[in-house]
């Protein structure tokens, strides 16, 4: 079941991982509106996107049918699909560094991160490997069961939800 993780004021959900380039992470996080390609058939990008939507091996996932209803054939978001969520892009920050780091301040340089990076450090200590990508969703409290996902050169691992005042 998809839960409403949005509109959870005072919370931030954080993912970290690896990505070869910013464009790959941006594409992974961004909505794809399938109707944009209707007049350009057979646009290779549209065919590629449609081939990845609602994979047969995921048919048994508890939130698969709800995601299908949310996207309704008009738009699609790979990050949302992989983690079983829907989010507002206006409350998202993301970063890809040139080289992996264990320094959480460098990895998560977001506008409000000084308030929650110490909480991440307290939770994980020095056990996190070096990563070069991070994503934060504000006013969002993800408690879903999917903890990590890989897709087209992007790997993200969910770290947790942390109190955060905007």
């Amino acid at each position: 079941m998809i839960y409403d993780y949005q509109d959870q004021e005072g919370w931030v959900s954080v993912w970290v991982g690896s990505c070869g380039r910013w464009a790959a992470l941006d594409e992974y996080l961004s909505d794809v509106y399938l109707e944009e390609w209707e007049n350009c058939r057979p646009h290779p990008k549209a065919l590629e996107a449609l081939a990845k939507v609602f994979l047969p091996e995921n048919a048994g996932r508890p939130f698969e049918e709800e995601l299908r209803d949310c996207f309704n054939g008009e738009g699609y978001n790979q990050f949302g699909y992989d983690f079983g969520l829907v989010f507002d892009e206006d409350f998202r920050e993301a970063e890809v560094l040139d080289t992996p780091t264990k320094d959480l301040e460098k990895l998560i340089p977001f506008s409000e991160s000084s308030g929650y990076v110490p909480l991440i450090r307290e939770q994980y200590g020095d056990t996190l490997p070096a990563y070069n990508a991070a994503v934060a969703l504000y006013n969002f409290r993800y408690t879903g069961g999917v903890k990590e996902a890989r897709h087209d050169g992007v790997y993200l691992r969910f770290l947790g939800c942390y109190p955060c005042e905007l």
Side-chain angles (χ1 to χ4, degrees):
M1 169 186 265
I2 295 178
Y3 297 98
D4 187 5
Y5 305 117
Q6 298 184 97
D7 300 325
Q8 300 292 317
E9 290 186 29
W11 289 94
V12 62
S13 296
V14 180
W15 287 258
V16 294
S18 304
C19 182
R21 56 191 177 80
W22 165 251
L25 182 62
D26 187 48
E27 184 175 309
Y28 182 67
L29 295 171
S30 296
D31 287 337
V32 174
Y33 295 98
L34 303 177
E35 73 269 2
E36 291 175 7
W37 298 314
E38 284 181 7
N39 298 326
C40 306
R41 289 187 190 176
H43 192 286
K45 192 89 167 153
L47 296 175
E48 178 184 325
L50 290 172
K52 295 176 183 175
V53 174
F54 306 111
L55 300 172
E57 59 267 26
N58 291 335
R61 290 195 310 178
F63 49 80
E64 190 75 5
E65 201 57 42
E66 288 176 89
L67 281 172
R68 188 182 302 271
D69 291 342
C70 285
F71 298 131
N72 199 23
E74 296 172 9
Y76 181 75
N77 181 291
Q78 189 66 49
F79 173 75
Y81 179 74
D82 288 346
F83 285 94
L85 56 87
V86 177
F87 67 97
D88 183 340
E89 289 187 13
D90 291 340
F91 293 95
R92 178 198 88 191
E93 287 188 285
E95 180 69 57
V96 175
L97 304 174
D98 291 333
T99 57
T101 183
K102 291 183 85 160
D103 183 339
L104 292 174
E105 279 80 9
K106 287 182 182 175
L107 180 62
I108 307 170
F110 305 139
S111 59
E112 303 299 326
S113 62
S114 63
Y116 59 84
V117 163
L119 301 174
I120 296 171
R121 185 175 293 105
E122 184 179 307
Q123 179 181 359
Y124 288 95
D126 196 30
T127 63
L128 290 174
Y131 290 119
N132 76 325
V135 176
L137 299 181
Y138 293 96
N139 292 335
F140 198 91
R141 191 172 185 188
Y142 179 70
T143 57
V146 180
K147 300 301 180 198
E148 61 183 17
R150 293 180 193 278
H151 186 83
D152 286 348
V154 176
Y155 164 75
L156 288 179
R157 170 185 173 185
F158 176 64
L159 290 185
C161 305
Y162 306 94
C164 175
E165 295 302 323
L166 293 181

